[in-house]
Amino acid sequence: MDKRFNLLNNLSIELSKLSIKYKFIVLKNKKNYKSTSLDIIDQKLSLEEINKLNNESETLLDINRENQEGLSFRIFESLGYKKKLITTNKDIMNYDFYNPKNIYVIDKKFPKIDASFFKEKYEDIPTEILEKYTMNGWFNKITS
């Protein structure tokens, strides 16, 4: 695991202060990390297990890797599942699907979250915007 481990621990403290129920699942690497706020597992989850967890969740978490540019797959999952998203990717605010009711950007070093983010319902993204981020939308853009 990398520097994201500390962020997860700090974020768990922040969510606990807000009395927000959460579950962070981390795949164990060569180092033996211990944490009471994280579920550390030895084997990757199956696609079925990931889908089940995503369906049960109200909010997904996206933490950029160091030097990562662009959007991660987690962002597209949140759009497809119509789930709220907490992310460290500040660039997301430049995209047409960005909606502060759905997406909350946190600082990697000091993750603070306004409790009101969890009280607001997910606001559907207009179909014409969402379509641009599907395989059909990309295919249509390439072929036109």
Side-chain angles (χ1 to χ4, degrees):
M1 188 177 309
D2 48 36
K3 295 176 183 175
R4 297 178 295 169
F5 187 79
N6 289 333
L7 173 59
L8 286 172
N9 278 320
N10 292 338
L11 191 53
S12 69
I13 292 166
E14 183 70 14
L15 292 171
S16 293
K17 285 180 194 174
L18 298 173
S19 299
I20 302 294
K21 198 169 114 177
Y22 66 91
K23 182 173 189 160
F24 296 144
I25 302 172
V26 177
L27 181 62
K28 179 177 158 183
N29 67 358
K30 295 173 188 160
K31 296 179 184 176
N32 275 330
Y33 289 104
K34 298 207 185 311
S35 173
T36 57
S37 60
L38 308 176
D39 289 350
I40 299 176
I41 59 174
D42 291 328
Q43 295 180 11
K44 290 183 179 182
L45 298 175
S46 70
L47 186 56
E48 292 79 21
E49 291 169 310
I50 292 169
N51 286 337
K52 182 178 184 293
L53 288 167
N54 284 342
N55 279 321
E56 293 171 353
S57 301
E58 292 179 22
T59 305
L60 303 181
L61 177 63
D62 171 56
I63 301 175
N64 283 16
R65 293 183 180 272
E66 204 166 320
N67 301 317
Q68 177 183 331
E69 292 183 23
L71 302 177
S72 70
F73 191 70
R74 180 77 65 230
I75 292 168
F76 297 105
E77 284 180 324
S78 72
L79 291 170
Y81 282 108
K82 295 184 178 187
K83 301 289 182 171
K84 289 187 165 223
L85 178 74
I86 297 171
T87 183
T88 58
N89 186 344
K90 292 178 178 150
D91 188 46
I92 200 167
M93 293 187 284
N94 297 318
Y95 286 83
D96 54 358
F97 60 78
Y98 174 73
N99 180 334
K101 290 181 180 178
N102 297 342
I103 301 171
Y104 197 92
V105 180
I106 58 171
D107 183 271
K108 284 184 180 184
K109 292 182 183 173
F110 306 103
K112 300 291 179 198
I113 301 174
D114 188 328
S116 66
F117 175 72
F118 296 101
K119 294 175 184 167
E120 300 238 9
K121 288 191 174 199
Y122 180 90
E123 196 169 278
D124 285 338
I125 306 299
T127 305
E128 60 274 5
I129 291 175
L130 197 56
E131 179 68 22
K132 293 189 321 187
Y133 298 94
T134 65
M135 291 300 286
N136 284 340
W138 287 359
F139 180 76
N140 290 337
K141 184 176 181 180
I142 292 170
T143 58
S144 33

